[in-house]
Amino acid sequence: MARPPPLGELPPGYTPPARSAAPQILAGSLQAPLWLRAYFQGLLFSLGCGIQRHCGKVLFLGLLAFGALALGLRVAIIETDLEQLWVEAGSRVSQELQYTKEKLGEEAAYTSQMLIQTPRQEGENVLTPEALGLHLQAAVTASKVQVSLYGKSWDLNKICYKSGVPLIENGMIERMIEKLFPCVILTPLDCFWEGAKLQGGSAYLPGRPDIQWTNLDPEQLLEELGPFASLEGFRELLDKAQVGQAYVGRPCLHPDDLHCPSSAPNHHSRQAPNVAQELSGGCHGFSHKFMHWQEELLLGGMARDPQGQLLRAEALQSTFLLMSPRQLYEHFRGDYQTHDIGWSEEQAGTVLQAWQRRFVQLAQEALPGNASQQIHAFSSTTLDDILHAFSEVSAARVVGGYLLMLAYACVTMLRWDCAQSQGAVGLAGVLLVALAVASGLGLCALLGIAFNAATTQVLPFLALGIGVDDIFLLAHAFTEAPPGTPLQERTGECLQRTGTSVALTSINNMVAFFMAALVPIPALRAFSLQAAVVVGCNFAAVMLVFPAVLSLDLHRRHCQRLDVLCCFSSPCSARVIQILPQELGDRTVPVGIAHLTATVQAFAHCEASSQHVVTILPPQAHLVPPPSDPLASELFSPGGSTRDLLGQEEGTRQKAACKSLPCARWNLAHFARSQFAPLLLQSHTKAMVLVLSGALLGLSLYGSTLVQDGLALTDVVPRGTKEHAFLSAQLRYFSLYEVALVTQGGFDYAHSQRALFDLHQRFSSLKAVLPPPATQAPRTWLHYYRNWLQGIQAAFDQDWASGRITHHSYRNGSEDGALAYKLLIQTGDAQEPLDFSQLTTRKLVDKDGLIPPELFYVGLTVWVSSDPLGLAASQANFYPPPPEWLHDKYDTTGENLRIPAAQPLEFAQFPFLLHGLQKTADFVETIEGARAACAEAGQAGVRAYPSGSPFLFWEQYLGLRRCFLLAVCILLVCTFLVCALLLLNPWAASLIVLVLAVMTVELFGIMGFLGIKLSAIPVVILVASVGIGVEFTVHVALVLLRGADSTHTPRPPPWARAAACAAVHPGPPTRGGTDVQGEPGGPEPTSCTRRRAQVGGSPHPSPELCQSDYLHDRGPPPTPTAWCLRPPGL
């Protein structure tokens, strides 16, 4: 059997078709848009032909370039910091964060570990001794956590946050206080003696058992130590803080406990306390003055009687405060415990993270499974771990998804007929898209765009879907080239027909993602930019590299090789078809053959004896498929046609009868062409569609008014996890947020005290701010500072009136009176710092409640050094920090009278608690109120801004809808410009934009009906959906435009269509290696007649056999002539 000639060779005398005819005709018809579109398609045709000529080189260079870019993934950075992910760079919040970090460092605040207890039975009361006993069990288990790192053991007492440890000159007392000083733990157990069990500090004194908070009475201890050390200053400090008997003076939750102290109020009665009554009004730490835990911090789901008394609650909460990594590093820097391990801030962070993970684990396992209560534990490290886990690329998930797509592409493009199969093309296409996605992400990494959870979890699959869509489109178009397309122009023809559609959709997708980058959220902006880059890489791979794959597959078919297993020859290459012309008469062509169009080469010569023209089918003539077949212009027969020609004689009529059944030939294309399109073109159908579309648009407009803003953290954390259960309980019962009002530098604090008080009052009047108890002063440093000055002023007045303090001596006065003496004589002048005449002529606080400006910074130094508990409770975080100064009442040198003034403040803050924030509208209202208060203070010269998580993560909602509307409008304008430029039809571009706008409105309205809240994530999805919607609208528009173009082109006459039917095929035709051999059964008639093609010995009805140059008796044609087998009437 003769092998087909090489793919690149042409037969002698071949003349390529004139492809510029269409543009010339269109230009001659003065249809510039059509001419320009044809010109653009001509460029795509030239590109495809060039790729086909150099397919191997293009494929090698393309894979090399994409592979090189994919190596950029080695430098990819995954961002998990919430501030970096959610705070817009360059925004006012970003600038405020930067200012805070410049003054206080990266980690300035303590970290919180929380336990929430809820009943397993909904609505059950937890204010019972039994429920609190279970809470105690879980809290004690969590407080005893120890981790071993760097050869050291780390427990809660070493790493917890301790508020205001006083400085004591007595070394022994100082070491004892350092060991005993309690951790800050906000818990409902502090209302009872059992709260002391959470404190792990202990100290030893000779002749006494170990001193712990469970048996420590500070008043009794000071009396015992009084004869051995001077503790007057320390005693006054404890008295001011209202420490009293600390925990041993509180009732026992379980009075039957053997360790319940005798000083407990219910020790002798052995009666369980009234839990609701004890918790009413909140609890206190070891200091009643500075450590008051309000009810809202401890109890959730509270119910009260008409008089406001607490009756019941549904949740309990305990909060353990730990030092920040920087604080822990500073605390142990230079300590003997860490001198041999190279102590660093990174190690401090590692210790805290390990302890927090262990804390959460043990707390959740503290209660038995059959307990009536359940414990939810959470820490800041838990959230970081969730983000890290969610941001990590799941190799199994990605590989599994791509393997499924590989299987889908291979199965859908694989055919039993090896000549039609494109399984290898599908596999190569999916792998090419995977490489393009990797190269796009690698390019993003090289450009410095940080990855996040959206990049690693969503983008690979989104890009795969978009890229594979174009792969299928090109592969399908490659099999439907017009009949008579030369082999060397197959790829060019494919790009000419589908390149415009692929370019439009890809460009619009890129524009859509670029427009989504307008959303002011760094995480989603990075995702949008990465998606745009990946779509661009997909576009380059589909338009440049994938046509090379199609060209190689065409070469495989030409060489008669199997699909996928291309090393083996096709089994259908040995089949032979004989076509014998026979009269068909008026009989109907069966369905199985009605769509067969074949082209064979024939040689005609005139016999000298009969003077008749004889047409001979040479041994190496081959079949070419019809355009309606899925592989229309392939070199081997289509599935149906090949099976019909190679079918056995006895089964031919049965197959034809079977194929005549409607169910046998039904498919989606047949339904769309025969039923759906005619129905849609009817007038009443059009009217109904318009009415329904208008109704849907109206409903969507109404639904858009129902869309609310918001994104709860519970929507991000996977459901069914312990973290989700904690966040749900916290959102339901403890919607509290710690915030601060930060005052900056750039103004004089000493002369702006009234404006600072007004700012605090304005901020406190916000609805969401939790007010302090009526018996407690506001928790701000300015109030604490002023109250402390008023207290020592009162002590001085008493000492002065009693004569214990005079102009020349204060040694007989109290500690507070001596401090006031030193402050009153300060002038604030470096040349003359002291003036003793001011002792009776001035006050530390004037009648308006303001501190004299010349004393402001001097007094600040004294207050910070003398009232550590008040300073810690105020959470002032001064920068620059005031200098340390130790007061010594018995100093006789006079040097102690000179007090260094603190430097002008550049950073200070007022702490607040926000409550009742459930909806995004509540957050927005609070943010707007806080910003308005800061703006009003700015007019008075005070520079301030709010700080805290609500102002970080909910600030975006102030302008989110504006950003969404701006992005959609710009995207629609860009879509119009791109479509108008490539389609050169403004009306079509306008219709596309109108459909996209309606689609966006409908999607937005559906969100309202489904209760989906608007946040940055849905905004990106909505903006991207506009670009993805172009995939459908542009395809339909291009088809309609082509149809409209054909209506403006004159239809050729029948003789011209007959000539087109018999167009010369470039190169020796082949059909999957099937040789067509035969001879005419008689002299060829001078006109086209109906004949019968015979395979073997069985007659088959054949389509019309016509010769392109109308053979007649004038003699044989000088070159081989193509015959066209087609149904009558085509």
Side-chain angles (χ1 to χ4, degrees), residues 583-636:
E583 294 293 335
L584 178 63
D586 296 330
R587 282 174 291 180
T588 304
V589 179
V591 175
I593 307 297
H595 296 286
L596 170 65
T597 300
T599 303
V600 299
Q601 285 188 337
F603 293 90
H605 66 89
C606 181
E607 293 184 349
S609 58
S610 60
Q611 298 296 320
H612 289 160
V613 176
V614 178
T615 303
I616 299 175
L617 299 179
Q620 295 183 2
H622 309 282
L623 289 176
V624 178
S628 60
D629 193 76
L631 296 176
S633 56
E634 292 294 338
L635 301 176
F636 44 85

Side-chain angles (χ1 to χ4, degrees), residues 415-432:
R415 299 290 184 271
W416 288 110
D417 188 347
C418 55
Q420 302 181 47
S421 182
Q422 283 186 305
V425 172
L427 293 176
V430 175
L431 293 177
L432 180 61

Side-chain angles (χ1 to χ4, degrees), residues 480-784:
E480 292 187 346
T485 303
L487 289 177
Q488 287 72 14
E489 300 176 1
R490 290 293 304 280
T491 306
E493 182 68 30
C494 177
L495 286 185
Q496 179 181 355
R497 298 178 62 197
T498 60
T500 302
S501 178
V502 173
L504 271 175
T505 55
S506 299
I507 292 174
N508 277 280
N509 282 332
M510 286 189 289
V511 172
F513 285 116
F514 277 126
M515 291 304 102
L518 293 175
V519 177
I521 306 300
L524 300 178
R525 177 172 293 173
F527 170 77
S528 302
L529 292 176
Q530 289 163 343
V533 173
V534 170
V535 170
C537 290
N538 272 345
F539 176 56
V542 170
M543 293 294 289
L544 298 177
V545 183
F546 188 66
V549 175
L550 293 175
S551 301
L552 289 176
D553 188 67
L554 182 63
H555 184 74
R556 188 267 308 172
R557 299 180 185 187
H558 180 77
C559 294
Q560 304 169 8
R561 298 287 183 177
L562 283 175
D563 187 19
V564 181
L565 304 176
C566 57
C567 296
F568 299 95
S569 298
S570 171
C572 55
S573 60
R575 302 182 184 179
V576 177
I577 301 176
Q578 293 183 350
I579 298 181
L580 300 178
Q582 297 183 16
E583 294 293 335
L584 178 63
D586 296 330
R587 282 174 291 180
T588 304
V589 179
V591 175
I593 307 297
H595 296 286
L596 170 65
T597 300
T599 303
V600 299
Q601 285 188 337
F603 293 90
H605 66 89
C606 181
E607 293 184 349
S609 58
S610 60
Q611 298 296 320
H612 289 160
V613 176
V614 178
T615 303
I616 299 175
L617 299 179
Q620 295 183 2
H622 309 282
L623 289 176
V624 178
S628 60
D629 193 76
L631 296 176
S633 56
E634 292 294 338
L635 301 176
F636 44 85
S637 65
S641 300
T642 302
R643 285 191 291 271
D644 289 341
L645 289 175
L646 300 180
Q648 297 185 3
E649 176 181 359
E650 61 272 11
T652 303
R653 288 184 174 85
Q654 296 177 3
K655 291 181 180 179
C658 180
K659 289 187 177 181
S660 63
L661 295 176
C663 61
R665 62 174 184 267
W666 187 94
N667 53 43
L668 189 59
H670 180 269
F671 168 77
R673 180 175 57 252
S674 303
Q675 302 179 22
F676 182 71
L679 177 64
L680 196 61
L681 292 176
Q682 297 178 8
S683 300
H684 64 276
T685 304
K686 294 179 182 179
M688 184 178 298
V689 169
L690 291 177
V691 171
L692 293 178
S693 300
L696 180 59
L697 180 61
L699 286 176
S700 301
L701 290 173
Y702 170 72
S704 62
T705 63
L706 305 178
V707 178
Q708 298 180 354
D709 296 341
L711 177 64
L713 194 56
T714 52
D715 298 332
V716 180
V717 178
R719 294 182 180 272
T721 61
K722 295 180 179 179
E723 292 79 9
H724 186 273
F726 172 86
L727 293 173
S728 300
Q730 185 187 44
L731 182 63
R732 178 179 179 181
Y733 297 115
F734 300 99
S735 184
L736 289 171
Y737 298 89
E738 293 185 359
V739 299
L741 185 59
V742 176
T743 52
Q744 303 173 262
F747 70 97
D748 188 358
Y749 281 71
H751 291 86
S752 303
Q753 297 177 59
R754 177 53 58 195
L756 289 172
F757 282 119
D758 292 342
L759 173 61
H760 177 269
Q761 181 62 33
R762 172 72 185 275
F763 201 94
S764 301
S765 62
L766 297 179
K767 183 176 65 174
V769 173
L770 182 65
T775 58
Q776 184 178 351
R779 288 190 311 124
T780 68
W781 66 268
L782 195 55
H783 289 87
Y784 282 145

Side-chain angles (χ1 to χ4, degrees), residues 34 142 210 295 407 486 506 532 714 732 777 791 793 840 997 1047 1114:
L34 302 181
D210 286 348
E295 291 178 348
S506 299
T714 52
R732 178 179 179 181
Q793 178 71 58
T840 57
T1047 61
R1114 295 181 182 178

Side-chain angles (χ1 to χ4, degrees), residues 304-337:
R304 302 179 184 275
D305 61 13
Q307 288 73 32
Q309 294 296 323
L310 180 65
L311 294 179
R312 61 194 313 275
E314 297 180 10
L316 302 172
Q317 177 176 257
S318 291
T319 305
F320 296 74
L321 301 187
L322 305 183
M323 286 187 281
S324 67
R326 170 166 294 189
Q327 291 171 339
L328 184 60
Y329 166 71
E330 294 290 344
H331 181 72
F332 283 99
R333 186 176 63 173
D335 191 272
Y336 73 95
Q337 301 181 63

Side-chain angles (χ1 to χ4, degrees), residues 219-470:
E219 295 177 347
Q220 181 182 357
L221 181 63
L222 289 178
E223 291 179 1
E224 295 178 0
L225 295 177
F228 306 100
S230 176
L231 299 176
E232 184 179 351
F234 185 58
R235 186 191 303 274
E236 289 188 7
L237 177 65
L238 295 182
D239 291 340
K240 290 180 181 180
Q242 301 175 8
V243 174
Q245 291 183 306
Y247 290 99
V248 296
R250 303 176 187 181
C252 294
L253 186 63
H254 301 289
D256 295 333
D257 191 331
L258 297 178
H259 300 285
C260 179
S262 58
S263 56
N266 60 342
H267 172 76
H268 300 288
S269 65
R270 301 294 178 179
Q271 293 183 356
N274 187 332
V275 175
Q277 182 178 351
E278 295 293 337
L279 289 174
S280 181
C283 299
H284 297 84
F286 80 97
S287 169
H288 281 255
K289 181 178 180 180
F290 297 116
M291 296 182 177
H292 178 243
W293 322 135
Q294 295 175 252
E295 291 178 348
E296 290 79 2
L297 294 171
L298 310 176
L299 306 176
M302 293 180 288
R304 302 179 184 275
D305 61 13
Q307 288 73 32
Q309 294 296 323
L310 180 65
L311 294 179
R312 61 194 313 275
E314 297 180 10
L316 302 172
Q317 177 176 257
S318 291
T319 305
F320 296 74
L321 301 187
L322 305 183
M323 286 187 281
S324 67
R326 170 166 294 189
Q327 291 171 339
L328 184 60
Y329 166 71
E330 294 290 344
H331 181 72
F332 283 99
R333 186 176 63 173
D335 191 272
Y336 73 95
Q337 301 181 63
T338 58
H339 74 281
D340 59 338
I341 61 175
W343 184 243
S344 65
E345 190 171 341
E346 290 75 16
Q347 290 177 327
T350 302
V351 169
L352 289 172
Q353 291 175 0
W355 194 93
Q356 289 172 342
R357 294 189 182 100
R358 186 64 175 164
F359 169 88
V360 172
Q361 177 185 357
L362 292 183
Q364 292 174 344
E365 299 173 354
L367 299 185
N370 58 354
S372 60
Q373 307 287 315
Q374 53 186 348
I375 294 294
H376 311 286
F378 195 79
S379 71
S380 56
T381 300
T382 305
L383 182 58
D384 293 338
D385 291 342
I386 292 174
L387 290 176
H388 277 287
F390 193 62
S391 301
E392 291 293 333
V393 179
S394 175
R397 189 181 297 113
V398 173
V399 171
Y402 277 71
L403 286 178
L404 287 176
M405 183 57 71
L406 280 171
Y408 173 78
C410 183
V411 170
T412 55
M413 301 180 71
L414 201 63
R415 299 290 184 271
W416 288 110
D417 188 347
C418 55
Q420 302 181 47
S421 182
Q422 283 186 305
V425 172
L427 293 176
V430 175
L431 293 177
L432 180 61
V433 170
L435 180 60
V437 172
S439 65
L441 294 177
L443 179 59
C444 293
L446 294 175
L447 294 176
I449 304 176
F451 289 21
N452 54 64
T455 304
T456 58
Q457 302 295 327
V458 179
L459 188 53
F461 304 101
L462 176 64
L464 175 65
I466 295 176
V468 170
D469 177 72
D470 293 333

